[in-house]
Short mmCIF file of all heavy atoms in Angstrom, two decimals:
data_model
loop_
_atom_site.label_atom_id
_atom_site.label_comp_id
_atom_site.label_asym_id
_atom_site.label_seq_id
_atom_site.Cartn_x
_atom_site.Cartn_y
_atom_site.Cartn_z
N VAL A 61 42.70 73.52 -17.54
CA VAL A 61 43.45 72.99 -16.39
C VAL A 61 42.76 71.73 -15.87
O VAL A 61 43.42 70.75 -15.52
CB VAL A 61 43.54 74.06 -15.28
CG1 VAL A 61 44.20 73.47 -14.03
CG2 VAL A 61 44.31 75.27 -15.76
N ALA A 62 41.41 71.74 -15.83
CA ALA A 62 40.66 70.57 -15.36
C ALA A 62 40.94 69.36 -16.25
O ALA A 62 41.09 68.23 -15.77
CB ALA A 62 39.17 70.88 -15.33
N ILE A 63 40.98 69.60 -17.55
CA ILE A 63 41.29 68.51 -18.49
C ILE A 63 42.69 67.97 -18.23
O ILE A 63 42.93 66.76 -18.24
CB ILE A 63 41.16 69.00 -19.94
CG1 ILE A 63 39.69 69.28 -20.27
CG2 ILE A 63 41.72 67.96 -20.92
CD1 ILE A 63 39.48 69.93 -21.61
N ALA A 64 43.61 68.90 -17.98
CA ALA A 64 45.01 68.50 -17.74
C ALA A 64 45.14 67.64 -16.48
O ALA A 64 45.76 66.58 -16.50
CB ALA A 64 45.90 69.75 -17.63
N ILE A 65 44.51 68.09 -15.38
CA ILE A 65 44.67 67.34 -14.12
C ILE A 65 43.83 66.06 -14.12
O ILE A 65 44.08 65.16 -13.32
CB ILE A 65 44.28 68.20 -12.90
CG1 ILE A 65 42.79 68.57 -12.94
CG2 ILE A 65 45.13 69.45 -12.84
CD1 ILE A 65 42.32 69.32 -11.70
N SER A 66 42.86 65.98 -15.03
CA SER A 66 42.01 64.78 -15.09
C SER A 66 42.62 63.67 -15.93
O SER A 66 42.19 62.52 -15.85
CB SER A 66 40.63 65.14 -15.66
OG SER A 66 39.96 66.05 -14.83
N GLY A 67 43.61 64.00 -16.74
CA GLY A 67 44.24 62.97 -17.56
C GLY A 67 44.33 63.30 -19.03
O GLY A 67 44.88 62.53 -19.81
N GLY A 68 43.78 64.44 -19.44
CA GLY A 68 43.96 64.89 -20.81
C GLY A 68 42.93 64.44 -21.82
O GLY A 68 43.14 64.54 -23.02
N SER A 69 41.79 63.92 -21.35
CA SER A 69 40.77 63.47 -22.30
C SER A 69 39.39 63.63 -21.69
O SER A 69 39.23 63.75 -20.46
CB SER A 69 40.98 62.01 -22.69
OG SER A 69 40.69 61.14 -21.60
N TRP A 70 38.38 63.63 -22.55
CA TRP A 70 36.99 63.72 -22.10
C TRP A 70 36.62 62.51 -21.24
O TRP A 70 35.90 62.62 -20.26
CB TRP A 70 36.08 63.81 -23.31
CG TRP A 70 34.62 63.75 -22.99
CD1 TRP A 70 33.79 62.67 -23.09
CD2 TRP A 70 33.80 64.81 -22.46
NE1 TRP A 70 32.51 62.98 -22.69
CE2 TRP A 70 32.49 64.29 -22.29
CE3 TRP A 70 34.04 66.13 -22.12
CZ2 TRP A 70 31.44 65.05 -21.81
CZ3 TRP A 70 32.99 66.90 -21.63
CH2 TRP A 70 31.71 66.36 -21.48
N GLU A 71 37.14 61.35 -21.61
CA GLU A 71 36.85 60.12 -20.87
C GLU A 71 37.35 60.23 -19.44
O GLU A 71 36.68 59.79 -18.49
CB GLU A 71 37.48 58.92 -21.57
CG GLU A 71 36.81 58.50 -22.86
CD GLU A 71 37.07 59.45 -24.01
OE1 GLU A 71 38.08 60.22 -23.93
OE2 GLU A 71 36.29 59.47 -24.97
N HIS A 72 38.54 60.78 -19.25
CA HIS A 72 39.08 60.95 -17.90
C HIS A 72 38.25 61.96 -17.12
O HIS A 72 38.00 61.78 -15.92
CB HIS A 72 40.53 61.42 -17.96
CG HIS A 72 41.50 60.35 -18.34
ND1 HIS A 72 41.98 60.21 -19.62
CD2 HIS A 72 42.06 59.35 -17.62
CE1 HIS A 72 42.81 59.18 -19.67
NE2 HIS A 72 42.87 58.63 -18.48
N LEU A 73 37.82 63.02 -17.77
CA LEU A 73 37.07 64.07 -17.11
C LEU A 73 35.71 63.59 -16.63
O LEU A 73 35.20 64.04 -15.60
CB LEU A 73 36.90 65.26 -18.06
CG LEU A 73 36.31 66.55 -17.47
CD1 LEU A 73 37.25 67.16 -16.44
CD2 LEU A 73 36.02 67.56 -18.58
N THR A 74 35.12 62.66 -17.36
CA THR A 74 33.75 62.20 -17.06
C THR A 74 33.70 60.75 -16.59
O THR A 74 32.64 60.11 -16.65
CB THR A 74 32.86 62.34 -18.32
OG1 THR A 74 33.44 61.57 -19.39
CG2 THR A 74 32.76 63.79 -18.75
N LYS A 75 34.80 60.22 -16.09
CA LYS A 75 34.86 58.80 -15.75
C LYS A 75 33.93 58.40 -14.60
O LYS A 75 33.61 57.22 -14.45
CB LYS A 75 36.29 58.39 -15.41
CG LYS A 75 36.89 59.11 -14.22
CD LYS A 75 38.36 58.73 -14.05
CE LYS A 75 39.00 59.49 -12.91
NZ LYS A 75 40.45 59.15 -12.78
N ASP A 76 33.50 59.37 -13.79
CA ASP A 76 32.62 59.05 -12.67
C ASP A 76 31.14 59.15 -13.04
O ASP A 76 30.28 58.87 -12.20
CB ASP A 76 32.91 59.97 -11.49
CG ASP A 76 34.27 59.69 -10.87
OD1 ASP A 76 34.49 58.55 -10.45
OD2 ASP A 76 35.11 60.59 -10.85
N LEU A 77 30.85 59.56 -14.26
CA LEU A 77 29.48 59.55 -14.75
C LEU A 77 29.20 58.23 -15.46
O LEU A 77 30.13 57.61 -15.99
CB LEU A 77 29.26 60.70 -15.74
CG LEU A 77 29.13 62.11 -15.17
CD1 LEU A 77 29.11 63.13 -16.31
CD2 LEU A 77 27.88 62.25 -14.32
N PRO A 78 27.96 57.78 -15.50
CA PRO A 78 27.64 56.62 -16.34
C PRO A 78 28.08 56.89 -17.77
O PRO A 78 27.94 58.02 -18.27
CB PRO A 78 26.11 56.52 -16.23
CG PRO A 78 25.78 57.17 -14.93
CD PRO A 78 26.77 58.28 -14.75
N LYS A 79 28.61 55.90 -18.43
CA LYS A 79 29.19 56.12 -19.74
C LYS A 79 28.20 56.71 -20.74
O LYS A 79 28.55 57.59 -21.53
CB LYS A 79 29.74 54.79 -20.29
CG LYS A 79 30.55 54.97 -21.58
CD LYS A 79 31.23 53.69 -21.99
CE LYS A 79 32.07 53.91 -23.25
NZ LYS A 79 32.75 52.67 -23.69
N TYR A 80 26.94 56.25 -20.68
CA TYR A 80 25.97 56.76 -21.64
C TYR A 80 25.66 58.24 -21.38
O TYR A 80 25.39 59.01 -22.31
CB TYR A 80 24.69 55.92 -21.60
CG TYR A 80 23.83 56.10 -20.38
CD1 TYR A 80 22.80 57.03 -20.36
CD2 TYR A 80 24.05 55.33 -19.24
CE1 TYR A 80 22.01 57.21 -19.23
CE2 TYR A 80 23.26 55.49 -18.11
CZ TYR A 80 22.24 56.42 -18.12
OH TYR A 80 21.47 56.59 -17.00
N VAL A 81 25.71 58.66 -20.11
CA VAL A 81 25.47 60.07 -19.78
C VAL A 81 26.62 60.93 -20.29
O VAL A 81 26.41 61.99 -20.89
CB VAL A 81 25.30 60.25 -18.26
CG1 VAL A 81 25.20 61.73 -17.90
CG2 VAL A 81 24.07 59.51 -17.77
N ALA A 82 27.85 60.47 -20.04
CA ALA A 82 29.02 61.22 -20.51
C ALA A 82 29.03 61.33 -22.02
O ALA A 82 29.34 62.39 -22.58
CB ALA A 82 30.30 60.52 -20.02
N THR A 83 28.67 60.24 -22.70
CA THR A 83 28.64 60.26 -24.16
C THR A 83 27.56 61.19 -24.67
O THR A 83 27.78 61.95 -25.64
CB THR A 83 28.39 58.83 -24.71
OG1 THR A 83 29.42 57.96 -24.23
CG2 THR A 83 28.39 58.83 -26.23
N LEU A 84 26.40 61.18 -24.03
CA LEU A 84 25.29 62.06 -24.44
C LEU A 84 25.68 63.53 -24.28
O LEU A 84 25.42 64.34 -25.18
CB LEU A 84 24.04 61.75 -23.62
CG LEU A 84 22.81 62.61 -23.91
CD1 LEU A 84 22.38 62.45 -25.37
CD2 LEU A 84 21.67 62.26 -22.97
N ILE A 85 26.29 63.88 -23.15
CA ILE A 85 26.72 65.26 -22.93
C ILE A 85 27.73 65.67 -23.99
O ILE A 85 27.66 66.77 -24.56
CB ILE A 85 27.32 65.43 -21.52
CG1 ILE A 85 26.24 65.21 -20.45
CG2 ILE A 85 27.95 66.81 -21.36
CD1 ILE A 85 26.78 65.23 -19.03
N ALA A 86 28.69 64.78 -24.26
CA ALA A 86 29.71 65.07 -25.26
C ALA A 86 29.10 65.28 -26.64
O ALA A 86 29.47 66.22 -27.36
CB ALA A 86 30.74 63.95 -25.31
N ILE A 87 28.17 64.42 -27.01
CA ILE A 87 27.53 64.54 -28.33
C ILE A 87 26.78 65.87 -28.44
O ILE A 87 26.88 66.57 -29.46
CB ILE A 87 26.58 63.36 -28.57
CG1 ILE A 87 27.37 62.07 -28.77
CG2 ILE A 87 25.69 63.61 -29.80
CD1 ILE A 87 26.53 60.82 -28.86
N LEU A 88 26.05 66.23 -27.38
CA LEU A 88 25.31 67.49 -27.39
C LEU A 88 26.25 68.69 -27.52
O LEU A 88 25.98 69.63 -28.28
CB LEU A 88 24.47 67.62 -26.12
CG LEU A 88 23.27 66.69 -26.00
CD1 LEU A 88 22.61 66.82 -24.63
CD2 LEU A 88 22.25 66.98 -27.10
N ILE A 89 27.35 68.66 -26.77
CA ILE A 89 28.32 69.76 -26.84
C ILE A 89 28.95 69.84 -28.22
O ILE A 89 29.08 70.94 -28.80
CB ILE A 89 29.40 69.60 -25.76
CG1 ILE A 89 28.79 69.82 -24.37
CG2 ILE A 89 30.54 70.58 -25.98
CD1 ILE A 89 29.74 69.58 -23.23
N PHE A 90 29.31 68.69 -28.78
CA PHE A 90 29.92 68.70 -30.11
C PHE A 90 28.94 69.17 -31.18
O PHE A 90 29.33 69.82 -32.14
CB PHE A 90 30.46 67.31 -30.45
CG PHE A 90 31.85 67.07 -29.96
CD1 PHE A 90 32.11 66.08 -29.01
CD2 PHE A 90 32.91 67.83 -30.42
CE1 PHE A 90 33.40 65.87 -28.55
CE2 PHE A 90 34.20 67.62 -29.97
CZ PHE A 90 34.45 66.64 -29.02
N ILE A 91 27.69 68.82 -31.02
CA ILE A 91 26.68 69.30 -31.98
C ILE A 91 26.54 70.81 -31.89
O ILE A 91 26.43 71.51 -32.91
CB ILE A 91 25.32 68.61 -31.72
CG1 ILE A 91 25.39 67.14 -32.13
CG2 ILE A 91 24.20 69.31 -32.50
CD1 ILE A 91 24.14 66.34 -31.79
N ILE A 92 26.60 71.35 -30.64
CA ILE A 92 26.47 72.79 -30.45
C ILE A 92 27.66 73.54 -31.04
O ILE A 92 27.50 74.52 -31.78
CB ILE A 92 26.34 73.11 -28.95
CG1 ILE A 92 24.99 72.64 -28.43
CG2 ILE A 92 26.49 74.62 -28.70
CD1 ILE A 92 24.85 72.72 -26.93
N ILE A 93 28.87 73.10 -30.71
CA ILE A 93 30.05 73.82 -31.19
C ILE A 93 30.38 73.45 -32.63
O ILE A 93 31.20 74.11 -33.26
CB ILE A 93 31.28 73.58 -30.29
CG1 ILE A 93 31.78 72.12 -30.44
CG2 ILE A 93 30.99 73.92 -28.87
CD1 ILE A 93 33.12 71.87 -29.79
N GLY A 94 29.74 72.40 -33.13
CA GLY A 94 30.01 71.97 -34.50
C GLY A 94 28.91 72.33 -35.46
O GLY A 94 28.65 73.52 -35.72
N PRO A 95 28.23 71.35 -35.99
CA PRO A 95 27.29 71.60 -37.09
C PRO A 95 26.04 72.38 -36.75
O PRO A 95 25.40 72.93 -37.64
CB PRO A 95 26.94 70.18 -37.57
CG PRO A 95 27.19 69.29 -36.39
CD PRO A 95 28.35 69.90 -35.68
N ALA A 96 25.65 72.46 -35.47
CA ALA A 96 24.38 73.11 -35.15
C ALA A 96 24.48 74.62 -34.98
O ALA A 96 23.64 75.36 -35.48
CB ALA A 96 23.79 72.49 -33.87
N PHE A 97 25.51 75.11 -34.27
CA PHE A 97 25.54 76.54 -33.95
C PHE A 97 26.88 77.21 -34.24
O PHE A 97 26.97 78.07 -35.11
CB PHE A 97 25.18 76.74 -32.46
CG PHE A 97 23.81 76.25 -32.10
CD1 PHE A 97 23.64 75.27 -31.14
CD2 PHE A 97 22.68 76.76 -32.72
CE1 PHE A 97 22.37 74.82 -30.80
CE2 PHE A 97 21.41 76.33 -32.39
CZ PHE A 97 21.26 75.35 -31.43
N ALA A 98 27.90 76.87 -33.44
CA ALA A 98 29.13 77.66 -33.45
C ALA A 98 29.85 77.67 -34.79
O ALA A 98 30.26 78.73 -35.27
CB ALA A 98 30.08 77.15 -32.36
N ALA A 99 30.03 76.51 -35.39
CA ALA A 99 30.76 76.46 -36.67
C ALA A 99 30.02 77.17 -37.80
O ALA A 99 30.62 77.97 -38.53
CB ALA A 99 31.07 75.01 -37.04
N PRO A 100 28.71 76.94 -38.00
CA PRO A 100 27.99 77.71 -39.02
C PRO A 100 28.01 79.21 -38.74
O PRO A 100 28.04 80.03 -39.67
CB PRO A 100 26.57 77.15 -38.95
CG PRO A 100 26.72 75.78 -38.39
CD PRO A 100 27.85 75.89 -37.42
N ARG A 101 28.02 79.58 -37.46
CA ARG A 101 28.04 81.00 -37.09
C ARG A 101 29.31 81.68 -37.57
O ARG A 101 29.29 82.87 -37.93
CB ARG A 101 27.90 81.15 -35.57
CG ARG A 101 27.68 82.59 -35.11
CD ARG A 101 27.45 82.66 -33.61
NE ARG A 101 28.62 82.32 -32.84
CZ ARG A 101 28.67 82.31 -31.52
NH1 ARG A 101 27.57 82.59 -30.82
NH2 ARG A 101 29.77 82.00 -30.87
N THR A 102 30.42 80.96 -37.61
CA THR A 102 31.67 81.56 -38.10
C THR A 102 31.52 81.99 -39.55
O THR A 102 32.00 83.07 -39.95
CB THR A 102 32.85 80.58 -37.96
OG1 THR A 102 32.59 79.39 -38.73
CG2 THR A 102 33.09 80.19 -36.51
N ALA A 103 30.88 81.15 -40.35
CA ALA A 103 30.69 81.49 -41.77
C ALA A 103 29.73 82.66 -41.92
O ALA A 103 29.95 83.56 -42.76
CB ALA A 103 30.16 80.27 -42.53
N LEU A 104 28.67 82.68 -41.12
CA LEU A 104 27.69 83.76 -41.20
C LEU A 104 28.29 85.11 -40.80
O LEU A 104 28.07 86.12 -41.47
CB LEU A 104 26.50 83.44 -40.29
CG LEU A 104 25.49 82.44 -40.85
CD1 LEU A 104 24.57 81.94 -39.75
CD2 LEU A 104 24.68 83.08 -41.96
N VAL A 105 29.07 85.12 -39.72
CA VAL A 105 29.70 86.37 -39.29
C VAL A 105 30.73 86.83 -40.32
O VAL A 105 30.83 88.03 -40.62
CB VAL A 105 30.35 86.19 -37.90
CG1 VAL A 105 31.19 87.41 -37.53
CG2 VAL A 105 29.29 85.95 -36.85
N ALA A 106 31.50 85.88 -40.86
CA ALA A 106 32.47 86.23 -41.89
C ALA A 106 31.79 86.85 -43.11
O ALA A 106 32.27 87.85 -43.69
CB ALA A 106 33.27 84.99 -42.30
#
Side-chain angles (χ1 to χ4, degrees):
V61 175
I63 292 173
I65 64 175
S66 297
S69 70
W70 173 260
E71 288 73 20
H72 285 99
L73 188 66
T74 59
K75 61 185 177 182
D76 292 302
L77 285 172
K79 188 172 182 180
Y80 72 92
V81 174
T83 302
L84 178 60
I85 294 174
I87 290 173
L88 290 174
I89 291 175
F90 274 117
I91 289 175
I92 290 171
I93 70 170
F97 299 121
R101 189 176 68 180
T102 60
L104 282 165
V105 172

